Amino acid sequence: MAHFNSAHRLFNPDWDDAKNFEVFGLCSNPHYHGHNYELEVRVTGEINPDTGMLIDLKWLKEIIKVEVEDKLDHKNLNIEVPEFQKLIPTAENICIVIWQWLRKSLDEQYDLKVRLYETPRNYVEFPAE
Amino acid sequence: MAHFNSAHRLFNPDWDDAKNFEVFGLCSNPHYHGHNYELEVRVTGEINPDTGMLIDLKWLKEIIKVEVEDKLDHKNLNIEVPEFQKLIPTAENICIVIWQWLRKSLDEQYDLKVRLYETPRNYVEFPAE
Amino acid sequence: MAHFNSAHRLFNPDWDDAKNFEVFGLCSNPHYHGHNYELEVRVTGEINPDTGMLIDLKWLKEIIKVEVEDKLDHKNLNIEVPEFQKLIPTAENICIVIWQWLRKSLDEQYDLKVRLYETPRNYVEFPAE
Amino acid sequence: MAHFNSAHRLFNPDWDDAKNFEVFGLCSNPHYHGHNYELEVRVTGEINPDTGMLIDLKWLKEIIKVEVEDKLDHKNLNIEVPEFQKLIPTAENICIVIWQWLRKSLDEQYDLKVRLYETPRNYVEFPAE
Amino acid sequence: MAHFNSAHRLFNPDWDDAKNFEVFGLCSNPHYHGHNYELEVRVTGEINPDTGMLIDLKWLKEIIKVEVEDKLDHKNLNIEVPEFQKLIPTAENICIVIWQWLRKSLDEQYDLKVRLYETPRNYVEFPAE
Amino acid sequence: MAHFNSAHRLFNPDWDDAKNFEVFGLCSNPHYHGHNYELEVRVTGEINPDTGMLIDLKWLKEIIKVEVEDKLDHKNLNIEVPEFQKLIPTAENICIVIWQWLRKSLDEQYDLKVRLYETPRNYVEFPAE
């Protein structure tokens, strides 16, 4: 589990303000709002017989820190994160971007699944089961 | 319990950027960041013998909605909430402002305490015990 | 996540009281007992490229309110919910009934899974993975 | 922490049905509804220097089982619990009744406080601080 | 859900102390350290039409108590649990051992999955999805 | 909130093994067992008008790391922590020792309260309200 606090705004530039408000409601507020995101990372594979462990958890936490927390924590997603220049920073898209960042660092022998809680009561998961 | 998602920035206009960063760190990011705030409201008093209840919970929830959630949810605290034009929107100050808003609506026979979680692991409470 | 509070009694009318008590224990109490049920609804599918979202969460919450909460909240399941006239209102059966109610309202492009917590430590899920 | 599941109905026999519904809303449903109650018991006092413990936790859990869980779990509070023949089983009153049951069993050297969660987001506490 | 508190040490006897510390860090402390393990057991299968239940939960809890809690709770895993004489008691290996213990007691008609939380923020699951 | 994982044994050297087992039960296991302790630190005082904050949270987290986590995490309390050479490492005594460690580092203008969870369902707090 990792977490990060970010500001974002849901806004499709191809639509006018009225259409954006109709679809995204308060989430289209031009002054941004924010969330404490909680991230759950699931790695699947074979256990290493020498260590009795699937993966080095310290290494995994470091990767999550470098690849996710340093890029997103205390950031304005729309303005400061290049991936969301053209991609609307919905929980769904943030989740996929995080999966792509982690997938690059993870050995091919492992499967990877990412679950992102935008609030304690709503989450998205990628890939779908 | 109520919750609201807001963007904020910690910044003292009497200080230069370097001093603000030194004191507030990443929280002084000029592009804002955000939180899911969780609010716990504690009301103390005598039980009404007719209802067996201390207070009408539906009424209390409505007051919290009108006085807190509608004012703060999906808002940028620094820009959109008048109380934080001159007051830095730290968790401590947000908590006191919420207490003041609720105190006005609550009958004098009740004591009131407000606890505000900025993250699940950090909270502030007003008044102190 | 949605929640509702209901009373129920586990009772198979084909058995006598002794057999019902033997199988269901305290849960066969003729005066009913109750739970705070917590519901987790999982929807799987393709992300809409215009919104960056899988599904309109406000719409989904409204459907859950109409199809589940309004039918079950503060109800006696055995007496007041037609589906449990002949079906024992175990967590397993409640979960399947909820799945059927939601499935009807949900577009075919989405997969649906429902998890029902009868207590924070026990849940059932339908369909099985 | 202990927990118990009970059915109850909020109803003041001095009022007619319309008045009861106006005050208690869905909670006055004549067919009962229910909750998973969670109980938090706080005991304050001096640490026993021989054991380094305030109180024997096994003993305390047994008392809570006998004095609270056995009396309330899987019960209909209005019908099956004598204390609620004349007292409306609101969370406030249940909390006080539990405090009275435990207070009798607890040595005078200890202070006692009881917090009762009717849902994870609403609790009552007795005595008030 | 079940839980148990155990002490353990991560140590591969084929390696010297320096290598063990390099791989396992503080977890190789020769004086042991400990955890509150939380166990989540998932059983999948057909619902019994007579009871409306998948499985008798009281029976399942008893099996978990006998097969898991009695063997692991308040134990030193390295010294007192035969399965970990030659197997390093990592969360991964503890999870598999628990799965094997429960699998033997469970009728073949059921599928079984075990999730073990070593801390509230880290878990392992067997078998992988 | 901070957490640490430790092994301990409850044992009064003035008593024989039978008496220790009678009083402490499984907790007197000579091979040790362990817990994930969770620590909640509450600081009370005046808000600094320049920062809008009560205390510098980064500083407080660092003090908790140095004064508590580094001393207790992944340690055997009975063997490796000098304070518990003569003091039985019950949750009550660990809580007081932590309070003493933190009290020394904290400016006199602040009040301090420490709550220690030995499991998610049991905690001790010092000082008592």
Side-chain angles (χ1 to χ4, degrees), chain A residues 10 12 14-15 21-26 42 88 90-93 96 115 120-123 125 128-129, chain C residues 1-3 38-42 44-45 47 49-58 61 113 115 129:
Chain A
L10 301 186
N12 182 335
D14 296 343
W15 296 339
F21 184 78
E22 182 195 324
V23 173
F24 296 120
L26 289 174
R42 252 193 277 189
I88 305 175
T90 55
E92 288 88 336
N93 282 334
I96 292 174
R115 181 184 286 193
R121 297 178 79 82
N122 295 315
Y123 68 81
E125 199 171 66
E129 285 170 89
Chain C
M1 277 271 196
H3 60 273
E38 289 279 333
L39 183 68
E40 187 180 320
V41 173
R42 252 193 277 189
T44 309
I47 296 179
D50 284 338
T51 62
M53 292 173 167
L54 174 70
I55 196 168
D56 182 335
L57 207 56
K58 263 178 308 183
K61 282 183 178 169
K113 182 173 289 197
R115 182 184 285 192
E129 284 171 87

Side-chain angles (χ1 to χ4, degrees), chain D residues 13 77-87:
Chain D
L77 303 183
N78 304 63
I79 297 177
E80 299 179 284
V81 182
E83 280 78 359
F84 300 113
Q85 300 296 318
K86 296 191 176 163
L87 197 62

Side-chain angles (χ1 to χ4, degrees), chain B residues 35-82:
Chain B
H35 292 284
N36 303 344
Y37 294 92
E38 288 280 333
L39 182 69
E40 186 180 321
V41 174
R42 252 192 277 189
V43 174
T44 310
E46 297 297 318
I47 296 178
N48 177 332
D50 284 337
T51 62
M53 291 174 166
L54 174 71
I55 196 168
D56 182 335
L57 207 55
K58 264 178 307 182
W59 176 86
L60 183 60
K61 283 183 177 167
E62 182 59 26
I63 289 295
I64 293 171
K65 186 184 174 307
V66 171
E67 290 294 340
V68 183
E69 292 179 296
D70 288 355
K71 291 176 177 171
L72 301 181
D73 192 26
H74 285 79
K75 293 288 168 59
N76 182 308
L77 304 183
N78 304 63
I79 297 176
E80 299 180 283
V81 182

Side-chain angles (χ1 to χ4, degrees), chain C residues 81-98:
Chain C
V81 181
E83 280 78 358
F84 301 113
Q85 300 294 317
K86 295 190 177 165
L87 197 61
I88 305 174
T90 55
E92 289 88 337
N93 282 334
I94 300 170
C95 187
I96 292 174
V97 165
I98 291 172

